[in-house]
């Protein structure tokens, strides 16, 4: 441990130089400068809703025929609170805290705000949740004599709007694999091969319970967006929870993701992890992960990502003031 610490301190200056170069040469400046008024938030919010949102439809709640008003909600992890507050500022609604689950829920239930959000998202949904979304529209149309349009699933190319960015913010993950090479001292036998890679994962449940429709088609479309033609993978959580899984490690295929998020950026706290992930992606792309300085830097970046992250930067939220 002391030997490694000593080596780290010795190389700290050169590591800092590499890190600073990554800051200045990455695509992040393009994200910030290029796309301040680049698209409506409708597709992004639709993707976010289809990943982590739900709808409670109206129902009769007593014998006299009194009904409950429907609402739309999206669940976030607690660290996304600055973003949720921004959404409340822009689109209304209220925040419900679920402390036991370390989660917060953005709830839109007042009449005007709900109709406005529906109109913003309408026509951009792609998953089985569209059925319930359209049922909500039908209820509003029938009760208030509106003429809100009913749409089929959006079949446009994924790279034309921010839907996929919203879906990734809900269900995607940016991971770094760092495995030390271990050699047995007496025999020089390699016990563990050293390996460094960046990985993107996207999970979604197989079936939407409301209509028993499968998410397979949209997950296939997303996988095809990355140039992958193999069958979808499956992941299991506990015994009864089975998900469709997209997992990508190829730098060539991950470049599609980097270019897409350069045009349609993330807005949750997950953006912080993507920015660090992108630094490691660039190091591997430039073969700097093969150097001692590069390895130490990657190890340092990984140690402060995802669940280990203590500090979050939400400066990007100012750009939401300039989108539709």
């Amino acid at each position: 441990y002391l030997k490694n610490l000593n080596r780290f301190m010795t190389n700290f200056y050169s590591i800092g130089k590499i890190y600073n170069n990554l800051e200045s040469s990455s695509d992040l400046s393009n994200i910030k400068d290029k796309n301040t008024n680049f698209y409506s938030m409708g597709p992004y919010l639709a993707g976010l809703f289809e990943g982590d949102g739900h709808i409670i439809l109206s129902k009769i709640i007593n014998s006299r025929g009194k009904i409950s008003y429907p609402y739309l909600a999206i669940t976030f992890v607690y660290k996304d609170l600055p973003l949720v507050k921004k959404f409340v500022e822009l689109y209304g609604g209220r925040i419900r805290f679920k402390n036991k689950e370390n989660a917060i829920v953005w709830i839109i239930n007042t009449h005007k705000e709900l109709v406005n959000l529906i109109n913003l998202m309408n026509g951009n949904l792609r998953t089985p949740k569209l059925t319930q979304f359209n049922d909500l529209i039908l209820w509003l149309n029938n009760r208030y004599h509106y003429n809100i349009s009913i749409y089929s699933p959006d079949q446009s190319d994924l790279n034309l709007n921010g839907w996929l960015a919203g879906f990734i913010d809900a269900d995607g993950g940016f991971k770094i694999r760092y495995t030390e090479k271990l050699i047995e001292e007496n025999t020089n036998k390699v016990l563990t091969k050293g390996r460094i890679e960046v990985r993107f994962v996207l999970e979604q449940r197989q079936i939407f319970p409301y209509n028993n429709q499968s998410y397979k088609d949209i997950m296939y479309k997303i996988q095809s967006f990355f140039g992958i033609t193999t069958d979808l993978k499956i992941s299991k959580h506990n015994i009864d929870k089975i998900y469709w899984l997209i997992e990508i490690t190829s730098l060539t295929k991950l470049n599609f993701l980097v270019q897409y998020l350069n045009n349609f950026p993330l807005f949750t706290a997950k953006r912080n992890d993507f920015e660090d992930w992108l630094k490691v992606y660039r190091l591997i792309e430039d073969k700097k992960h093969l150097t001692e300085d590069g390895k130490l830097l990657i190890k340092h970046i990984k140690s402060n990502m995802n669940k280990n992250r203590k500090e979050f930067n939400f400066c990007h939220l100012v750009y939401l003031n300039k989108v539709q």
Side-chain angles (χ1 to χ4, degrees):
Y1 171 80
L2 290 174
K3 184 172 71 173
N4 287 337
L5 179 63
N6 203 23
R7 185 177 63 177
F8 179 82
M9 296 305 296
T10 302
N11 292 285
F12 189 80
Y13 177 74
S14 57
I15 291 172
K17 288 178 66 177
I18 296 174
Y19 193 88
N20 290 333
N21 288 337
L22 285 170
E23 289 279 11
S24 61
S25 64
S26 74
D27 290 335
L28 300 179
S29 59
N30 291 333
I31 292 175
K32 293 175 181 177
D33 295 335
K34 195 174 152 187
N35 299 304
T36 54
N37 193 23
F38 57 104
Y39 68 107
S40 164
M41 282 295 289
Y44 171 88
L45 289 170
L48 193 64
F49 162 75
E50 293 193 271
D52 275 339
H54 64 275
I55 290 172
I56 300 298
L57 293 172
S58 176
K59 60 183 179 181
I60 297 174
I61 58 176
N62 65 24
S63 58
R64 291 178 294 180
K66 184 177 179 181
I67 64 170
S68 63
Y69 198 79
Y71 67 85
L72 183 151
I74 303 175
T75 303
F76 300 79
V77 293
Y78 189 82
K79 58 189 175 184
D80 287 328
L81 183 58
L83 173 62
V84 181
K85 286 182 175 179
K86 190 66 178 179
F87 283 159
V88 171
E89 175 190 330
L90 294 173
Y91 307 113
R94 60 186 177 88
I95 301 173
R96 177 190 171 201
F97 293 89
K98 301 176 71 174
N99 295 325
K100 289 184 179 180
E101 293 88 352
N102 193 32
I104 50 179
V105 185
W106 177 35
I107 299 173
I108 303 90
N109 60 348
T110 62
H111 186 95
K112 181 179 178 180
E113 293 168 350
L114 183 61
V115 171
N116 285 341
L117 190 65
I118 286 171
N119 283 324
L120 186 62
M121 294 166 53
N122 203 12
N124 296 300
L125 278 72
R126 297 172 180 264
T127 76
K129 281 188 181 177
L130 175 63
T131 300
Q132 192 177 35
F133 185 83
N134 282 341
D135 284 347
L136 174 59
I137 293 175
L138 287 172
W139 186 89
L140 290 167
N141 284 347
N142 290 334
R143 184 170 179 83
Y144 298 103
H145 307 291
Y146 290 147
N147 192 28
I148 304 174
S149 299
I150 300 292
Y151 288 97
S152 300
D154 181 13
Q155 299 294 336
S156 63
D157 290 342
L158 289 169
N159 62 355
L160 295 180
N161 61 44
W163 182 91
L164 182 57
F167 202 64
I168 290 172
D169 255 338
D171 294 320
F174 300 92
K175 301 179 183 298
I176 296 171
R177 179 176 180 178
Y178 184 96
T179 306
E180 298 270 11
K181 185 176 182 179
L182 296 179
I183 300 177
E184 192 176 62
E185 291 186 6
N186 296 331
T187 62
N188 285 330
K189 180 181 178 180
V190 176
L191 301 176
T192 305
K193 293 182 179 180
R195 188 171 182 180
I196 297 174
E197 69 177 13
V198 285
R199 179 181 306 173
F200 168 71
V201 295
L202 182 66
E203 283 185 310
Q204 180 54 255
R205 58 181 161 182
Q206 290 191 321
I207 301 293
F208 183 44
Y210 182 79
N211 52 17
N212 289 320
Q213 291 182 4
S214 174
Y215 281 85
K216 190 172 185 178
D217 287 346
I218 185 60
M219 292 297 280
Y220 257 126
K221 185 166 186 173
I222 295 171
Q223 185 170 263
S224 298
F225 174 77
F226 295 104
I228 300 173
T229 57
T230 57
D231 289 339
L232 284 169
K233 295 181 180 179
I234 293 175
S235 64
K236 292 185 179 181
H237 299 263
N238 300 322
I239 298 175
D240 56 341
K241 295 183 178 180
I242 304 176
Y243 295 79
W244 298 118
L245 172 67
I246 297 172
E247 190 172 32
I248 308 169
T249 57
S250 162
L251 292 187
T252 302
K253 290 178 171 57
L254 287 172
N255 186 56
F256 291 111
L257 176 65
V258 172
Q259 295 304 317
Y260 172 80
L261 292 179
N262 184 44
N263 290 322
F264 301 101
L266 306 171
F267 289 105
T268 68
K270 201 170 289 182
R271 175 169 173 152
N272 290 258
D273 292 319
F274 169 69
E275 291 175 351
D276 281 345
W277 178 94
L278 183 59
K279 295 183 182 102
V280 177
Y281 173 91
R282 295 300 185 206
L283 285 169
I284 296 174
E285 191 177 47
D286 295 338
K287 307 296 184 184
K288 291 180 181 177
H289 68 297
L290 302 175
T291 68
E292 289 301 312
D293 289 347
K295 289 177 183 177
L296 287 171
L297 177 56
I298 291 170
K299 189 175 183 180
H300 171 71
I301 292 173
K302 174 180 167 59
S303 69
N304 290 287
M305 282 182 59
N306 296 315
K307 292 182 179 180
N308 296 324
R309 183 175 298 280
K310 298 295 188 295
E311 296 182 1
F312 298 89
N313 184 348
F314 279 93
C315 291
H316 58 276
L317 295 186
V318 298
Y319 306 117
L320 288 177
N321 296 328
K322 300 183 179 181
V323 299
Q324 181 181 338

